C-alpha cells in the first residue's frame, strides 16, 4: 500500500518507463524541492532546457567530383584486395614448402631410426673371433639416449675391434 499526494502518483508511475537519466533528473528535482520546503522558502520554477541535436551539414558537391572520388576509392579497394590475395598466396606457398620439408625430415628420421635398429641388431648378433668378450660387452652397452641419439653406456673394457 502506498500513499501519494497530488500528481506525485502520476509522476511515480511514469518514472518506471523512462530512461535512467530522466529518472535521475527527476529524483534530483524532488530532492531540491524537499530542501527548499525544509528551509521554508519558495520553490523556484525549474525549467528544463532541451537542446535539439543539430543535423550534420551535408555539403553539396559537384557530381563530377563525387564520381571521381568514388572511382578512385573503387580503384584503391581493388588494389588492396589484389595485394591481400597475393599475400595470402605467398603465405600458402611458404606453408606448403615448409610442410614438404617437415615431411621429408620425418621420413629421414624414420629411415635413420630403422638403420639404427638394424645396426644395433647386427652389432648384438655379431660374432668376432678376435675378442668376442669385448664386442659382446660393447653391443650390450649400446643404448638409445633420451633425445633419440645413440650413446655409449659405461664400458668396463674398451672393445678391441682391431686384433693386436
Amino acid at each position: 500500500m502506498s500513499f501519494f499526494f497530488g500528481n506525485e502518483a502520476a509522476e511515480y508511475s511514469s518514472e518506471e518507463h523512462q530512461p535512467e537519466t530522466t529518472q535521475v533528473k527527476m529524483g534530483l528535482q524532488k530532492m531540491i524541492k524537499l530542501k527548499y520546503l525544509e528551509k521554508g522558502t519558495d520553490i523556484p520554477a525549474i525549467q528544463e532546457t532541451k537542446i535539439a541535436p543539430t543535423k550534420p551539414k551535408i555539403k553539396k558537391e559537384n557530381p563530377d567530383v563525387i564520381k571521381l572520388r568514388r572511382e578512385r576509392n573503387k580503384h584503391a579497394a581493388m588494389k588492396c584486395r589484389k595485394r591481400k590475395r597475393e599475400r595470402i598466396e605467398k603465405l600458402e606457398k611458404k606453408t606448403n614448402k615448409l610442410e614438404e620439408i617437415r615431411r621429408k625430415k620425418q621420413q629421414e628420421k624414420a629411415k635413420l631410426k630403422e638403420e639404427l635398429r638394424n645396426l644395433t641388431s647386427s652389432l648384438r648378433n655379431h660374432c668376432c673371433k678376435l675378442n668376442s668378450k669385448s664386442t659382446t660387452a660393447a653391443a650390450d652397452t649400446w643404448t638409445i639416449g633420451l633425445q633419440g641419439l645413440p650413446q655409449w653406456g659405461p664400458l668396463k673394457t674398451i672393445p678391441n675391434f682391431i686384433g693386436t
Side-chain angles (χ1 to χ4, degrees):
M1 182 190 258
S2 60
F3 297 98
F4 293 103
F5 300 102
N7 64 356
E8 287 180 346
E11 286 180 16
Y12 181 77
S13 63
S14 65
E15 278 183 20
E16 295 173 358
H17 304 292
Q18 293 181 357
E20 186 177 334
T21 54
T22 307
Q23 290 177 358
V24 171
K25 285 181 184 179
M26 292 175 76
L28 289 172
Q29 287 175 352
K30 286 181 184 178
M31 289 181 68
I32 292 171
K33 285 180 185 178
L34 287 174
K35 291 284 183 181
Y36 276 106
L37 289 174
E38 286 176 1
K39 290 180 182 178
T41 57
D42 291 337
I43 301 171
I46 300 174
Q47 295 180 352
E48 188 174 324
T49 57
K50 292 186 178 180
I51 300 172
T54 58
K55 293 183 179 179
K57 294 180 180 179
I58 300 173
K59 292 189 336 185
K60 297 283 183 176
E61 291 188 31
N62 186 354
D64 293 334
V65 173
I66 294 172
K67 185 177 180 181
L68 181 64
R69 185 181 304 138
R70 286 183 180 164
E71 193 65 35
R72 282 190 210 142
N73 188 34
K74 181 180 175 183
H75 181 67
M78 286 176 17
K79 198 173 172 182
C80 179
R81 287 186 213 108
K82 182 182 176 187
R83 281 194 311 263
K84 183 179 178 182
R85 264 193 315 272
E86 288 171 353
R87 184 173 48 89
I88 290 171
E89 288 172 3
K90 183 179 174 184
L91 289 172
E92 285 175 348
K93 285 179 184 178
K94 187 175 181 179
T95 302
N96 291 338
K97 181 180 175 184
L98 290 172
E99 285 175 349
E100 182 65 24
I101 290 171
R102 181 175 178 260
R103 186 184 59 76
K104 286 180 180 178
K105 295 283 184 186
Q106 285 178 337
Q107 287 176 348
E108 183 181 1
K109 179 182 170 184
K111 181 181 168 186
L112 289 172
K113 277 188 174 184
E114 183 63 30
E115 185 179 348
L116 176 66
R117 273 188 244 121
N118 291 339
L119 289 173
T120 305
S121 175
S122 66
L123 184 62
R124 287 180 196 262
N125 297 332
H126 178 70
C127 295
C128 185
K129 294 179 182 178
L130 297 176
N131 192 353
S132 63
K133 183 178 178 184
S134 63
T135 55
T136 308
D140 290 338
T141 58
W142 180 264
T143 59
I144 302 294
L146 293 176
Q147 290 80 21
L149 299 174
Q151 297 175 346
W152 284 97
L155 293 176
K156 295 179 183 171
T157 61
I158 297 173
N160 185 5
F161 295 110
I162 301 174
T164 51

